[in-house]
Amino acid sequence: MILNSLEMMFGGQAGDGSLTTGDLIAGVFKRMGLEVYTYKDFPSRIRGGHTNYVIRASEQRNYGMADAVDSLVAFDLEAVQAHIDEMRPGGFVVFDNTSETVDGALRRSDVTWYDIPLAKIAKEELGLELVRNTISLGVLAALVGMDAGIVRADVTAVYQRKGEKVVDLNLRAIAAGEAYVREHYAGVPSGYALRAKPDGDRLIMMGNDAIAYGALVAGCRFMAGYPITPATDILEWMSKQLPKFGGVVVQAEDELAAITMTLGAAFTGVRAMTATSGPGQALMTEAIGLAGVLEIPVVVVECARTGPSTGMPTKTEQSNLNHLIYSGHGEIPRVILAPGTIEESFTLTTAAFNLADRWQLPVFVLTEQALCQSKATLAPFDLDAVEIDRGELIADGELTFGEYKRFAFTADGVSPRAIPGVYGGMHLAAGSEHNDAGVITENAANRARMMEKRMGKLEAMRDELPRAILHGVADADIAIVGYGANTGPIREAVDRLAAEKIPVRFLQLRTLWPFPEDDVRVFVHGAHHVFVVENNFTGQLERLIRAVTGPIDALRGLRKYDGRPFHPIEIIAPIRGIAAVGESVEVR
Amino acid sequence: MAMLTAKDFATATPSWWCPGCGDYGVLSALKSALAELGKQPHEVAFVSGIGCSGKISGYLHSYAFHGVHGRALPVATAVKLANRDLTVIAAGGDGDGYAIGAGHFVHAVRRNPDITYIVMDNQTYGLTKGQASPTSATGYVASVSPEGNPDNPINGLALGLAAGATFVARGFSAQPKQLVQIIRAAIEHRGCSIVEVMSPCVTYNKINTYAWFKEHIEDAALRDDHRPSERTAAFDALTREGKIPLGIIYQEERPTLEERTHLPQVPIAKHDLHGDRGRYAALLEHYR
Ligand SMILES: Cc1ncc(C[n+]2csc(CCOP(=O)(O)OP(=O)(O)O)c2C)c(N)n1
Ligand code: SF4
């Protein structure tokens, strides 16, 4: 019997309700005091197409998926076909056999099968096929011991809006699921059991919610955006909340408008942001240079998905890093922050606004579908730790008429900023090269000095950037570098390798640009093997590291580009291989 | 604060425009209109695109934003939302507004923010040396259309009206008095005002010269069928064959973007960002 550890997958057709039910179960597990992580793998269409929802629950904090799933709730044959290989021996399958059967090799004998005509029960006993999801919830409750009180309370809360009748129907559906198991599978244990513990003061939240919430708390009061998966959640969240806090959200006509609106609002003194994904980011490129040359603080969230072009809109990838670093004609300073957890999605977003204001430049928050659309349990954010630093913003009454120079040369390259409406601060913010007063000029000496002023910010700001985090055994011979959504699977791999007495250290980069050269150089130095883990084909991060380290044999890429995040075993296996060969790895 | 004159809205920046360029007339009318309305330079935010016309933001003493080609309107819309106390004016060329910026033009107009948009129409691309613009006549011969421009000219004001513009007017840069009146009315209008100004390019457009315009324009107000409150009549005036009508062609009162988005009266740019901790914390309840 496996206690309090379960990775469960719901699979069916898009629109079947797997996602709602998945969310509901995640909530139940959380309230049972377990640590939860969820991952959505859904197709880019509204109805039909295979979709699945993975929920991992255990006593330890999880930041990613497990190697294999323990249980599969398959609403159709396709879900079995697609995922039976991902199942752990000893796991169990709940299969809706109303109209399809599973046989042959698909019907693995090393897992327990529960064939349950979910749709039939829904239709015949409850009069509505739609509730088969809720029946499956009852089935699971009976099989793994989900807390009956919590399940019923959560179902009631979710369906309350739809009225008494709907609540009642769903409660009866749960009972029907439980009853079916009792009647037909009384002596067939699932092998798994969950026991409720005190929930404690915890949240369960999606990455995109944490970014949006972070922006609000950081004082963002203007957002313009154009819907694009997987960034739309942020636009939706902000549309709901910003007006309540005196702010405004604009659904722009395209990404060019979204980013230029963001610039307009930021120029006028409001903390402003936009959020997008690859294709939209490509359109925004034009205005990124403008933000840099006008020294306007803006925050741009990129929720990366699989490219190129429209790629796989609902799948994950880390292939836009180069684009963010180099996008735009000409050269401007920019910052790229990459949260690795949902907590960091919050903290780094708040940091992004301060960095943008303090250094007057565009700051990107780069995240990926695998992180920004995942949910996890976490401790409530520390709101007292959030500071709002607006940088050198000139207040009304501080200027004498006729003396203000918007782009004044200063030691750190930051010129005090007057916003429209401030008496005496009139200036031209010109996208063309300009002098310290904002007057357009092609003077050679001024041009060189302006370049140095703007680009110099990157060096001046280094100490204020979020530092990389070192996980694992500090002096291990085997090292890993990675960022973003891969932080979770890498951390788990490091922990599990440690348990096998294979020490590994992991450098989680949180600032990707300006590239943390010193941290990376120090970290890579002395390691016999450095794995650079990333979700792309060309090894974008690895190339950046090579630029810092020069030719080095120790470096090797561990890359995945099928649109899915890493499973820990995919990182563990190659490292184990090296350790087994004994290749200069000291096993302590 | 003392009443200002047009001179107070002038910068010392030397002009890059050719002598005789129609854009001088637009600039001077704009400065007079602002002074006559009693505006202060720090209360004015001026946004322009790229082109000879876009250079105007460098010559007007105010808060000014000279962005990228075609994107003045989204910037101006956001400036207004960020600080509704400002007088927000956007300006640019016919290429800037009706070619690369056509999408933004239609959408800014339909949102109806309280801003003024001045299109300086010279029927050519001045800054890139005389190619056909969206308002050039069919057959217009230029470097990229040596056989004559194959495209139909766009009717910017009719397009704006179709998109739901609440103020549509046209002026001529060589008729300063009327132009000042039009710009004043546009700034005073609550909503998105479009002002197209015929602004001859003396260097590249040898067809649509000052003399040509004088011959082809008429004052709309002088026609007895001119009724700026009627949309169909305004369409008629803008699209009928014959002389180019000048003056306020259409005007209507409709809720502005600021009103429709329930923007607070106090400009967002002036909000205190520190006070809401309790309300932030309350939002987390949803995630427990
Ligand atoms: C994205 C982009 N494409 C092209 C250009 C080159 N360009 C500069 S001004 C201009 C056209 C200007 O025409 P118009 O808006 O009519 O202004 P005018 O110069 O005639 O006043 C073009 C195509 C540019 N600056 N940016
Ligand atoms: S090229 Fe034409 S539009 Fe440009 S400044 Fe000269 S006259 Fe004016």
Side-chain angles (χ1 to χ4, degrees):
Chain A
M1 180 72 75
I2 295 175
L3 187 66
N4 280 356
S5 173
L6 179 68
E7 179 160 308
M8 178 184 280
M9 179 190 278
F10 272 79
Q13 298 292 304
D16 267 359
S18 307
L19 301 185
T20 323
T21 314
D23 268 347
L24 214 152
I25 294 188
V28 170
F29 288 169
K30 182 250 171 194
R31 274 173 281 283
M32 286 175 68
L34 298 170
E35 300 288 352
V36 179
Y37 166 90
T38 74
Y39 170 73
K40 280 189 231 176
D41 187 334
F42 57 105
S44 181
R45 51 196 274 195
I46 305 306
R47 280 211 73 90
H50 176 74
T51 175
N52 70 67
Y53 194 118
V54 174
I55 310 154
R56 186 176 188 191
S58 70
E59 302 218 339
Q60 303 81 42
R61 182 65 198 279
N62 295 305
Y63 298 97
M65 284 192 285
D67 296 339
V69 293
D70 302 296
S71 100
L72 172 65
V73 179
F75 290 111
D76 57 16
L77 184 60
E78 190 182 343
V80 176
Q81 290 163 337
H83 300 292
I84 193 73
D85 289 345
E86 295 164 36
M87 291 206 60
R88 197 188 298 282
F92 70 93
V93 179
V94 175
F95 177 67
D96 185 345
N97 65 345
T98 302
S99 49
E100 294 169 312
T101 46
V102 178
D103 26 51
L106 273 185
R107 202 170 179 93
R108 271 173 52 177
S109 58
D110 57 349
V111 297
T112 308
W113 289 83
Y114 300 94
D115 293 288
I116 302 180
L118 296 168
K120 185 160 171 252
I121 303 172
K123 220 161 30 195
E124 291 177 3
E125 288 183 31
L126 298 150
L128 187 67
E129 197 174 325
L130 213 65
V131 295
R132 73 168 176 165
N133 279 302
T134 318
I135 299 175
S136 73
L137 199 55
V139 168
L140 288 167
L143 290 179
V144 299
M146 278 159 61
D147 188 295
I150 296 176
V151 174
R152 280 169 172 76
D154 279 13
V155 165
T156 305
V158 166
Y159 293 104
Q160 200 124 53
R161 269 182 308 132
K162 300 189 174 169
E164 271 313 286
K165 267 194 178 152
V166 180
V167 170
D168 182 58
L169 178 70
N170 279 283
L171 291 178
R172 282 191 293 125
I174 293 172
E178 291 168 333
Y180 194 94
V181 173
R182 240 181 287 126
E183 235 176 86
H184 298 85
Y185 289 106
V188 189
S190 70
Y192 293 83
L194 299 179
R195 299 274 183 273
K197 312 187 319 175
D199 181 0
D201 186 18
R202 296 180 310 151
L203 311 173
I204 179 161
M205 189 183 250
M206 179 168 70
N208 273 336
D209 289 345
I211 289 174
Y213 181 73
L216 173 74
V217 170
C220 175
R221 291 295 179 268
F222 181 96
M223 175 171 185
Y226 189 76
I228 186 168
T229 305
T232 309
D233 306 319
I234 299 174
L235 186 61
E236 289 172 342
W237 197 98
M238 294 294 263
S239 308
K240 210 156 133 197
Q241 299 301 342
L242 270 197
K244 296 185 200 158
F245 290 83
V248 66
V249 173
V250 182
Q251 181 181 328
E253 58 270 30
D254 56 33
E255 285 83 355
L256 295 155
I259 180 79
T260 42
M261 282 178 178
T262 308
L263 289 188
F267 166 76
T268 315
V270 175
R271 282 203 150 174
M273 81 161 180
T274 184
T276 190
S277 189
Q281 191 70 59
L283 286 185
M284 290 186 181
T285 299
E286 178 189 62
I288 296 303
L290 184 62
V293 75
L294 295 187
E295 307 191 38
I296 294 181
V298 283
V299 172
V300 179
V301 178
E302 161 142 22
C303 303
R305 64 190 217 184
T306 310
S309 192
T310 314
M312 300 195 287
T314 55
K315 305 287 186 277
T316 200
E317 202 163 82
Q318 294 182 317
S319 55
N320 296 345
L321 177 58
N322 280 344
H323 185 246
L324 285 196
I325 295 174
Y326 303 114
S327 61
H329 49 288
E331 298 160 310
I332 55 142
R334 71 191 78 196
V335 174
I336 305 172
L337 306 180
T341 60
I342 293 175
E343 287 90 334
E344 285 173 358
S345 300
F346 171 81
T347 51
L348 293 192
T349 301
T350 60
F353 279 95
N354 285 344
L355 286 169
D357 265 344
R358 165 90 177 83
W359 295 94
Q360 302 180 12
L361 40 65
V363 178
F364 295 98
V365 176
L366 174 61
T367 179
E368 314 88 356
Q369 191 272 335
L371 176 61
C372 72
Q373 290 198 316
S374 285
K375 281 188 177 180
T377 38
L378 59 152
F381 304 119
D382 182 3
L383 295 181
D384 293 327
V386 178
E387 274 174 46
I388 294 182
D389 176 4
R390 298 283 343 242
E392 298 198 41
L393 204 52
I394 296 169
D396 217 356
E398 286 181 5
L399 289 176
T400 326
F401 203 91
E403 285 175 6
Y404 178 62
K405 288 192 165 155
R406 165 64 186 100
F407 302 100
F409 294 105
T410 58
D412 61 3
V414 175
S415 321
R417 188 159 77 100
I419 57 170
V422 167
Y423 179 78
M426 291 74 70
H427 63 271
L428 173 65
S432 310
E433 190 56 274
H434 45 253
N435 67 13
D436 54 352
V439 177
I440 296 174
T441 169
E442 296 185 347
N443 175 287
N446 176 74
R447 160 68 182 177
R449 217 171 152 204
M450 269 298 165
M451 282 303 289
E452 287 151 14
K453 161 188 157 66
R454 290 190 294 259
M455 298 307 289
K457 292 179 189 178
L458 285 184
E459 280 315 313
M461 74 193 308
R462 283 220 186 243
D463 288 347
E464 295 178 22
L465 294 165
R467 290 290 298 267
I469 298 178
L470 182 69
H471 303 269
V473 181
D475 58 351
D477 276 340
I478 301 178
I480 300 176
V481 190
Y483 69 92
N486 288 339
T487 301
I490 299 173
R491 282 179 66 173
E492 183 166 337
V494 167
D495 288 349
R496 281 163 54 184
L497 285 163
E500 295 175 22
K501 303 252 180 309
I502 304 174
V504 178
R505 57 187 149 123
F506 164 39
L507 189 68
Q508 180 208 342
L509 302 184
R510 299 193 306 159
T511 298
L512 293 172
W513 200 263
F515 195 67
E517 297 177 11
D518 296 341
D519 284 353
V520 168
R521 198 177 290 113
V522 168
F523 179 79
V524 168
H525 181 78
H528 284 106
H529 300 279
V530 183
F531 290 88
V532 184
V533 177
E534 53 190 319
N535 284 119
N536 60 57
F537 184 86
T538 54
Q540 300 183 12
L541 177 62
E542 188 187 331
R543 282 166 193 243
L544 288 170
I545 296 172
R546 282 191 191 280
V548 172
T549 59
I552 168 169
D553 287 340
L555 223 56
R556 67 194 69 193
L558 202 54
R559 303 176 201 158
K560 186 169 177 179
Y561 34 83
D562 63 359
R564 275 74 181 175
F566 278 93
H567 293 280
I569 191 67
E570 294 170 310
I571 299 161
I572 292 170
I575 291 178
R576 232 189 233 151
I578 278 176
V581 176
E583 254 190 65
S584 57
V585 177
E586 213 177 293
V587 179
R588 276 168 252 216
Chain B
M1 264 174 258
M3 197 63 180
L4 302 179
T5 67
K7 274 208 197 96
D8 294 302
F9 285 94
T11 56
T13 313
S15 163
W16 291 29
W17 288 327
C18 307
C21 174
D23 294 351
Y24 286 105
V26 182
L27 174 62
S28 111
L30 186 59
K31 289 188 290 197
S32 300
L34 286 169
E36 285 178 22
L37 288 170
K39 301 288 176 190
Q40 299 285 326
H42 68 279
E43 299 166 343
V44 177
F46 192 74
V47 184
S48 75
I50 299 293
C52 295
S53 43
K55 301 261 185 231
I56 191 171
S57 51
Y59 313 140
L60 189 83
H61 186 52
S62 71
Y63 278 92
F65 186 111
H66 188 189
V68 286
H69 196 24
R71 320 271 171 238
L73 282 171
V75 175
T77 302
V79 170
K80 187 68 190 182
L81 288 172
N83 187 343
R84 63 188 301 171
D85 287 353
L86 298 171
T87 298
V88 181
I89 304 171
D94 39 309
D96 195 74
Y98 301 151
I100 192 165
H104 304 313
F105 173 67
V106 169
H107 290 279
V109 162
R110 82 179 238 269
R111 290 190 180 105
N112 201 33
D114 185 9
I115 65 174
T116 299
Y117 181 40
I118 302 174
V119 182
M120 299 149 83
D121 184 7
N122 55 14
Q123 287 155 282
T124 191
Y125 281 15
L127 195 70
T128 47
K129 300 189 191 289
Q131 298 81 13
S133 89
T135 53
S136 300
T138 312
Y140 181 83
V141 175
S143 60
V144 183
S145 45
E147 304 289 329
N149 170 30
D151 304 333
N152 261 339
I154 214 167
N155 186 331
L157 292 186
L159 178 65
L161 195 57
T166 53
F167 183 102
V168 170
R170 187 187 279 117
F172 178 31
S173 71
Q175 290 187 7
K177 254 181 143 163
Q178 183 194 31
L179 188 55
V180 173
Q181 286 315 308
I182 291 175
I183 295 177
R184 275 188 63 159
I187 294 173
E188 282 182 307
H189 173 74
R190 271 183 52 257
C192 185
S193 321
I194 313 170
V195 180
E196 190 176 270
V197 186
M198 314 311 296
S199 178
C201 170
V202 293
T203 305
Y204 294 109
N205 192 334
K206 304 297 184 197
I207 313 275
N208 310 108
T209 60
Y210 285 97
W212 183 93
F213 277 115
K214 284 202 178 101
E215 227 170 85
H216 288 81
I217 53 178
E218 66 173 357
D219 192 336
L222 300 180
R223 295 180 59 115
D224 10 314
D225 63 347
H226 179 66
R227 292 180 305 277
S229 59
E230 284 181 22
R231 208 148 172 264
T232 1
F235 258 120
D236 234 33
L238 287 171
T239 51
R240 76 178 136 228
E241 296 283 310
K243 297 210 164 177
I244 304 165
L246 298 191
I248 297 173
I249 317 279
Y250 183 68
Q251 185 164 15
E252 146 193 21
E253 281 278 320
R254 235 196 16 220
T256 61
L257 177 64
E258 300 89 280
E259 288 159 356
R260 283 186 173 164
T261 50
H262 308 292
L263 207 61
Q265 280 307 322
V266 177
I268 304 179
K270 293 186 178 160
H271 290 191
D272 174 25
L273 300 181
H274 293 89
D276 285 318
R277 190 139 302 172
R279 294 178 64 209
Y280 294 149
L283 281 182
L284 290 180
E285 286 315 310
H286 180 67
Y287 298 97
R288 261 175 236 271

